[in-house]
């Protein structure tokens, strides 16, 4: 077979993808807008329409259902740590005990769609709506920034945090962000305790990890949030702001107390935190890992 025929047959045999054809290869993994910033990396959460992967090895640009991406290395690292300790699996368990959390999460998909429509051009929105929000083909429907196949599915905490930082309210993303702040609070309190007690650095780090690297602490934090939000007059979690609630701590913890008081921060307060969210995540990572992390920008959005 001639080279010309081989090329022709290869081209005709390739599967055509609407997702790839709608994408501009020059914009692959290029941020379209900066949505949330941090002092160290500049951009911490971005809009990226052409971030999907299509074809073998994911080498082809494609329009995907996930539009918001975390680009802050420290946030990505600490959330990966949470996922490593099965915090993703903990969320459905909490939803089973508190159905209102599941309902809030399902409602947040509409917030994502509204936010997405505000960023996309009319042509982009038509494509997005036809391919990811199809009512005619429910099996193709994608829910939220995590692009899950069912409204109550839980897959990626990174995507839900990105959704929160992008301004599309999501209770799970807000829980994870506030959980970072809780961990920073506990690390700071542990440093104060360490100033008055003689304890080897490695021993202190292991004691801290015994509490912070715990699925139970995350679950208890989520439950405490749901309880506090449910007790609001209107029962809406969005209205929770500067409200204190107690989070149980495991027995024998290094803080020598049964619970910690935490003040919930609303999404609208996150951009003005000082130190910012990125810096607080880095402080926690340093305390848990026992060494400084390399400082560089995460150059890819996926």
């Amino acid at each position: 077979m001639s080279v010309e025929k081989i090329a022709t047959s290869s081209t005709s045999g390739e599967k055509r993808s609407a997702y790839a054809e709608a994408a501009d290869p020059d914009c692959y993994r290029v941020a379209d807008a900066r949505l949330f910033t941090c002092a160290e990396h500049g951009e911490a959460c971005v809009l990226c329409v052409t971030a999907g992967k299509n074809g073998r090895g994911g080498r082809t640009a494609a329009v995907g259902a996930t539009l918001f991406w975390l680009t802050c290395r420290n946030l990505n690292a600490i959330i990966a740590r949470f996922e490593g300790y099965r915090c993703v699996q903990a969320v459905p368990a909490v939803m089973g005990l508190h159905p209102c959390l599941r309902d809030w999460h399902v409602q947040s998909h509409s917030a994502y769609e509204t936010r997405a429509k505000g960023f996309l051009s009319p042509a982009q929105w038509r494509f997005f709506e036809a391919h990811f929000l199809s009512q005619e083909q429910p099996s193709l429907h994608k829910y939220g920034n995590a692009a899950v196949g069912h409204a109550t599915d839980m897959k990626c905490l990174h995507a839900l945090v990105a959704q929160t930082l992008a301004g599309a309210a999501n209770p799970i993303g807000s829980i994870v962000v506030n959980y970072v702040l809780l961990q920073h609070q506990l690390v700071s309190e542990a440093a104060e305790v360490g100033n008055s007690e003689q304890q080897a650095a490695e021993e202190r780090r292991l004691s801290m990890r015994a509490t912070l690297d715990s699925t139970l602490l995350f679950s208890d934090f989520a439950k405490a949030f749901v309880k506090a939000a449910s007790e609001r007059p209107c029962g809406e979690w969005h209205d929770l702001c500067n409200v204190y609630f107690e989070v149980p701590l495991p027995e024998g913890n290094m803080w020598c107390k049964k619970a910690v008081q935490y003040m919930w921060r609303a999404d609208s307060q996150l951009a003005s935190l000082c130190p910012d969210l990125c810096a607080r995540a880095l402080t926690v990572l340093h305390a848990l890992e026992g060494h400084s992390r390399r400082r560089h920008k995460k150059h890819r959005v996926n």
Side-chain angles (χ1 to χ4, degrees), residues 127-147:
F127 180 90
F128 189 91
E129 187 175 34
H131 290 80
F132 303 123
L133 306 179
S134 174
Q135 300 299 325
E136 298 176 357
Q137 295 179 287
S139 62
L140 299 180
H141 197 113
K142 300 299 180 184
Y143 295 90
N145 196 50

Side-chain angles (χ1 to χ4, degrees), residues 80-151:
R81 194 177 186 94
F82 298 159
E83 291 185 342
Y85 287 92
R86 300 183 62 79
C87 291
V88 174
Q89 291 82 355
V91 174
V94 176
M95 288 180 174
L97 295 172
H98 301 280
C100 60
L101 179 60
R102 180 193 60 224
D103 296 340
W104 295 337
H105 175 62
V106 171
Q107 292 164 11
S108 75
H109 300 324
S110 296
Y112 174 68
E113 294 165 14
T114 300
R115 189 70 168 149
K117 187 175 183 179
F119 280 116
L120 300 179
S121 68
Q124 288 173 328
W125 173 250
R126 285 194 296 272
F127 180 90
F128 189 91
E129 187 175 34
H131 290 80
F132 303 123
L133 306 179
S134 174
Q135 300 299 325
E136 298 176 357
Q137 295 179 287
S139 62
L140 299 180
H141 197 113
K142 300 299 180 184
Y143 295 90
N145 196 50
V148 293
H150 299 89

Side-chain angles (χ1 to χ4, degrees), residues 21-264:
E21 291 178 353
D24 179 356
D26 293 334
C27 295
Y28 187 34
R29 292 175 175 166
V30 176
D32 299 289
R34 178 187 296 183
L35 305 179
F36 194 89
T37 62
C38 64
E40 182 173 340
H41 305 104
E43 58 189 33
C45 176
V46 300
L47 167 73
C48 187
V49 177
T50 312
K53 301 174 184 178
N54 182 71
R56 179 175 293 179
R59 296 186 181 91
T60 306
V63 173
T66 298
L67 297 178
F68 307 134
W69 298 86
L70 282 182
T71 50
C72 169
R73 181 174 182 265
N74 298 330
L75 287 178
N76 273 297
I78 198 167
I79 294 169
R81 194 177 186 94
F82 298 159
E83 291 185 342
Y85 287 92
R86 300 183 62 79
C87 291
V88 174
Q89 291 82 355
V91 174
V94 176
M95 288 180 174
L97 295 172
H98 301 280
C100 60
L101 179 60
R102 180 193 60 224
D103 296 340
W104 295 337
H105 175 62
V106 171
Q107 292 164 11
S108 75
H109 300 324
S110 296
Y112 174 68
E113 294 165 14
T114 300
R115 189 70 168 149
K117 187 175 183 179
F119 280 116
L120 300 179
S121 68
Q124 288 173 328
W125 173 250
R126 285 194 296 272
F127 180 90
F128 189 91
E129 187 175 34
H131 290 80
F132 303 123
L133 306 179
S134 174
Q135 300 299 325
E136 298 176 357
Q137 295 179 287
S139 62
L140 299 180
H141 197 113
K142 300 299 180 184
Y143 295 90
N145 196 50
V148 293
H150 299 89
T152 58
D153 284 355
M154 193 58 48
K155 182 175 70 173
C156 178
L157 299 182
H158 293 84
L160 297 178
V161 168
Q163 179 173 329
T164 292
L165 298 184
N170 174 273
I172 310 305
S174 297
I175 287 172
V176 175
V177 169
N178 274 271
Y179 189 59
V180 173
L181 301 182
L182 171 69
Q183 293 215 342
H184 179 265
Q185 175 182 324
L186 288 171
V187 166
S188 300
E189 291 180 9
E192 295 175 3
V193 172
N195 290 333
S196 59
E197 294 183 2
Q198 295 296 323
Q199 190 178 30
E202 182 64 12
E203 183 181 349
R204 284 172 47 76
R205 185 174 69 85
L206 292 176
S207 296
M208 193 181 304
R209 289 184 61 174
T211 297
L212 300 189
D213 286 344
S214 164
T215 311
L216 180 61
L217 181 64
F218 178 81
S219 296
D220 286 342
F221 179 74
K223 293 173 188 175
F225 154 73
V226 173
K227 182 176 183 295
S230 301
E231 291 174 349
R232 305 293 289 174
C234 56
E236 282 291 336
W237 71 273
H238 308 85
D239 298 330
L240 207 63
C241 180
N242 295 340
V243 172
Y244 284 90
F245 53 78
E246 282 196 345
V247 182
L249 294 177
E251 290 186 10
N253 65 79
M254 67 180 301
W255 295 270
C256 301
K257 53 186 178 182
K258 294 182 178 180
V260 58
Q261 282 274 339
Y262 176 75
M263 185 182 76
W264 179 267

